[in-house]
Amino acid sequence: MNQQFTLLKKAIEVFHSYGITLIGQHKNADFIQQLRMDPVFINGLIFELEYQLQVIFQEEKLGAVHTPKDLITLLFNIPQDN
């Protein structure tokens, strides 16, 4: 549980560096439609999360990610030995 808290804290810092707050409905906002993010910046966000958290997201699962909440959910579903 403590490791998940540490991961979440680092993830929040990365989201904040991209100007994304995870409070209220912002966590459910679509990256492209509501947050007006270019796909290049979304890929940068994913890369930065992988780098800072030392994890690797599966490409096929990233296709279903449309909101910050989706990305955090995917993060916690990664096996911890990754």
Side-chain angles (χ1 to χ4, degrees), residues 37 41 49:
M37 288 184 72
F41 288 106
L49 283 169

Side-chain angles (χ1 to χ4, degrees), residues 38-57:
D38 190 86
V40 172
F41 288 106
I42 297 169
N43 288 334
L45 172 66
I46 292 167
F47 171 80
E48 189 70 26
L49 283 169
E50 288 179 330
Y51 179 75
Q52 292 293 330
L53 304 175
Q54 298 295 308
V55 297
I56 298 173
F57 293 111

Side-chain angles (χ1 to χ4, degrees), residues 6-73:
T6 304
L7 282 176
L8 183 59
K9 185 177 176 181
K10 286 182 182 179
I12 289 170
E13 290 174 7
V14 173
F15 277 103
H16 280 281
S17 72
Y18 276 78
I20 301 170
T21 59
L22 300 175
I23 300 171
Q25 289 301 316
H26 293 285
K27 67 181 170 276
N28 295 317
D30 187 88
F31 284 122
I32 295 173
Q33 301 278 332
Q34 295 166 310
L35 296 176
R36 307 252 188 257
M37 288 184 72
D38 190 86
V40 172
F41 288 106
I42 297 169
N43 288 334
L45 172 66
I46 292 167
F47 171 80
E48 189 70 26
L49 283 169
E50 288 179 330
Y51 179 75
Q52 292 293 330
L53 304 175
Q54 298 295 308
V55 297
I56 298 173
F57 293 111
Q58 293 179 347
E59 262 322 293
E60 56 273 1
K61 291 187 178 181
L62 285 173
V65 172
H66 300 288
T67 66
K69 184 178 177 181
D70 294 342
L71 196 51
I72 290 173
T73 301

